[in-house]
Amino acid sequence: GELLLRAADGTVYASERDDRGALVAVGRWEAGAVVPLPKAVSSSEAAGGATGEARQPSVPHPVPQPLAFSAAEDDHCETAPEAYAHIVSLLRLVARKRGVPPEELRIWDPYYCNGAVARHLAALGFPHVHNANEDFYARLDSGDLPEHDVLLTNPPYTHPHPERLLAHCAASGTPWLALMP
């Protein structure tokens, strides 16, 4: 996954923010490599700027792993938790129309970054999210798609990603939500 290095102090941050908007530190840059922190911490805690008790991230944040596919840096960003909170009512509607309780709704986000979508949706009551470090297009080409009730994604915006995603969604016959401008 994508990391942000703060050169001034060597802190390495994940490509997402916690639900308070703070960057999430996942390690330190030492001798040309990321040394993971014992636990993910908010940017204010990592910088030592918090007064009193430090705020913890909203959900656990693992150290990003190398991607199983190539991705352009500008296309590789996590979606903010607020975006998922805004569509909870739509996901509940999909669950009702599919005849499953919301907590059993199977969601597939085919574009992996660092797995934040699964953590954010689980925190909102949707624990069955398939968002794996795998090549979406290879899965499409093979026809081996994960079982899902709805496809939900904020896709990369560069060509050909939106076109390929929307072509798949239109032909799939499965409900889908694309978080796009």
Side-chain angles (χ1 to χ4, degrees):
E2 187 173 306
L3 299 172
L4 169 67
L5 172 62
R6 184 174 177 185
D9 65 4
T11 303
V12 176
Y13 296 95
S15 59
E16 62 186 288
R17 295 177 181 264
D18 68 14
D19 67 351
R20 297 173 198 91
L23 291 170
V24 178
V26 295
R28 307 233 357 109
W29 189 255
E30 297 178 9
V34 176
V35 176
L37 295 176
K39 63 181 177 76
V41 297
S42 69
S43 59
S44 58
E45 182 180 1
T51 57
E53 189 173 323
R55 296 186 326 182
Q56 296 299 308
S58 58
V59 292
H61 295 76
V63 174
Q65 300 300 312
L67 296 174
F69 51 91
S70 62
E73 185 175 334
D74 289 344
D75 278 342
H76 195 65
C77 301
E78 291 287 1
T79 302
E82 295 84 5
Y84 299 113
H86 291 164
I87 62 167
V88 165
S89 61
L90 290 172
L91 291 173
R92 288 184 181 143
L93 177 64
V94 170
R96 187 175 43 162
K97 294 291 185 181
R98 302 288 283 186
V100 298
E103 64 275 6
E104 293 179 18
L105 186 70
R106 296 170 303 169
I107 300 169
W108 178 32
D109 183 344
Y111 293 104
Y112 181 82
C113 186
N114 190 27
V117 60
R119 295 187 300 275
H120 296 318
L121 287 170
L124 294 169
F126 300 94
H128 299 286
V129 178
H130 182 93
N131 179 241
N133 187 358
E134 60 193 12
D135 187 330
F136 170 44
Y137 302 118
R139 290 207 78 160
L140 280 183
D141 292 345
S142 74
D144 180 29
L145 306 181
E147 293 287 327
H148 61 284
D149 298 304
V150 60
L151 184 149
L152 164 64
T153 193
N154 180 357
Y157 297 149
T158 61
H159 177 76
H161 301 296
E163 295 87 352
R164 287 192 73 183
L165 170 70
L166 294 176
H168 166 72
C169 290
S172 73
T174 302
W176 54 275
L177 296 165
L179 306 177
M180 298 173 69

